[in-house]
Amino acid sequence: MPTEAYKEETPAQVGASFGVSGRIKGTDETCDVLVKRVTEYPDFESLLDGEGPANVNPTSSREQQLANIRSIYPPEKERLGAFAIEVELLNQ
């Protein structure tokens, strides 16, 4: 349910369908994922509100997540916007 606050597109809508292979953080394991959705948000607050903080990090409050993100990315980076990427784990 897109609003003016964000723009949501599926890979098919942007003419792309692709998988990504990567290493699982802190391990030697790898996994393959299918990118199902990419949603653009104007800022970090909109991202957390749109995706739901529990879907971003279920062990941290919305306020703590916002503080954590902003400690990494300064205001000029936040003004560029943020993306949420929905993936599906493949072959596991």
Side-chain angles (χ1 to χ4, degrees), residues 2-49:
T3 68
E4 290 184 24
Y6 67 91
K7 180 179 178 185
E8 179 177 314
E9 295 179 334
T10 64
Q13 289 171 308
V14 294
S17 178
F18 58 92
V20 177
S21 184
R23 187 166 312 281
I24 300 171
K25 185 177 179 178
T27 74
D28 289 331
E29 294 181 62
T30 61
C31 65
D32 295 321
V33 297
L34 175 68
V35 175
K36 295 178 70 175
R37 174 181 60 89
V38 177
T39 304
E40 181 180 3
Y41 292 95
D43 54 42
F44 302 142
E45 289 192 51
S46 297
L47 180 140
L48 290 172
D49 292 342

Side-chain angles (χ1 to χ4, degrees), residues 51-91:
E51 297 297 317
N55 292 321
V56 177
N57 180 353
T59 65
S60 186
S61 71
R62 178 191 183 280
E63 294 74 26
Q64 187 60 55
Q65 290 182 58
L66 192 56
N68 291 344
I69 294 168
R70 286 182 171 154
S71 74
I72 298 168
Y73 299 102
E76 60 270 15
K77 294 290 186 181
E78 181 173 0
R79 283 192 291 275
L80 297 173
F83 289 96
I85 304 170
E86 180 182 357
V87 297
E88 176 183 326
L89 193 57
L90 299 174
N91 302 322

